[in-house]
Amino acid sequence: MTAVLDLAVRGGTVVTARGRARLDVYAAGGRVVALRPPGATGMEARRVVDASGLYVLPGMVDTHVHLMDPGDAEREDFPTGSAAALLQGVTTIVEHSHGWPVTTVARLDEKLAHLRGRSHVDFGLAAHLWPEHMGELAALWASGVTFFKIFTCDTHGVPALGTDLLLEAFDELAGIDGACLVHCEDNAMTAAAEARLRAAGRSDGWIVPEWRSRAAEEVAVAVVALLARLTGARVTVAHASTPDVLDEIARHARAGAPIAAETCPQYLMLREDEVATLGTLRKFTPPARLRSDEEEARMWAAFNSGLVHHLSTDHAPSTRAHKAGHSIWDAHFGLPGLDTTTPLMIDAALSGRTSLERVVEAYATAPARRYRLAGKGSIAEGMAADLAVVDPAARWTLQDSTVHSRAGWTPFAGRDVRGRVVATVLAGQLVAQDGRLLAERPAGRFVSGPGARTRGDA
Ligand SMILES: [Zn+2]
């Protein structure tokens, strides 16, 4: 008897964190139901994707994304940002926006209602831990947020948690097995540097790395990692920017802290001194740190060795007009990243800086496991049928004109890359192909965090 399934992806090479194999992928009911050697009989599907000569990766899982919706639609919104994600094979995101923070269960409900039908990819939502809403932590976790975003410094209008409140939050998180993502820069050090730079009348690009110094990041990471160790809270350090920061996190992890490091392409590929000439277009924090080819090689070695637990974009778009129209002090921090992270990492793998297996692990499997996004991040029977099909023979150039984010530009414009996502499958449906969206309407669904039993689709 021949089973007729929803989708078959035939002839490709399936890549997971553990290796690669020539396998046909069959999907039904949104899940992978079979993996078979090419040419296996008895399997038919209503839709067939020919993946001959192509790689079949799990859909990427980007757990640090800001789509400003609700918040600031001039910068991005869910339809535009999630379309950019989908076209580059990212099928799950975890989103939070500083301009419209989820600080209470009522705010979470309001955001979920607003986002109904607006996401092209599956999405979880993170909450912000706000000093005056510490009491909401357990209720938010039970309502299905993926993690809590915490700041150790006043940034993007989000207030810092001091060491006292960090300890209180970590204690409570450990008690409910909750997760958090911590932006680590020391508040006193960044504030003092800012006051000094402003008093000196500085407004050049170099203020960014002087204000948001390596030392300020290292000090905050040391405190956060120690508190994670003392409390047992599941802490992820956001956007770790140097091998030294990664070493410090690893030291505490070896001593038993349930801590992990996230990094982003900008810390693997952008140079510190670009801010001197490009100013606001390189204003993000922590800033780019790379000063030499040797430092770049060290950061890639850290990525490949597993000192980096997982990769995210920290997609925080602003338009070129915004960046150009404001001083280095007044422009928003942040870079767009959803259009470029998959292509840059695939290119890095195809050119030998890393492997496709490691890219899949760092940008899909590991973040899905860390945040317990059930069924996401790998290709196996029973997992979500979320796939990114990659043509390794493609050659193209990243340009502002290839960006689908409302940002409309990329810091990686002009980079030639090998490999291209040519098809994206979400829940067993072919939703993007050859750079075009195929779905009539956004098909992404809300993915509840592990603290909630179930919550309706959004
Ligand atoms: Zn961020």
Side-chain angles (χ1 to χ4, degrees), residues 64 66 96 98 149 151 156 183 239 314-316:
H64 188 161
H66 310 287
H96 66 287
H98 309 310
K149 182 64 177 289
F151 281 81
H156 318 298
H183 180 122
H239 37 56
D314 191 11
H315 179 80

Side-chain angles (χ1 to χ4, degrees), residues 338-390:
L338 281 168
D339 285 277
T340 50
T341 295
T342 313
L344 288 167
M345 296 309 291
I346 289 171
D347 175 68
L350 295 176
S351 20
R353 296 211 101 171
T354 185
S355 66
L356 277 178
E357 285 84 351
R358 178 61 187 143
V359 171
V360 165
E361 180 176 53
Y363 198 33
T365 315
R369 193 181 299 134
R370 179 102 190 137
Y371 295 118
R372 300 178 184 163
L373 302 169
K376 302 295 192 183
S378 193
I379 299 176
E381 288 180 19
M383 299 287 279
D386 299 345
L387 308 170
V389 182
V390 171

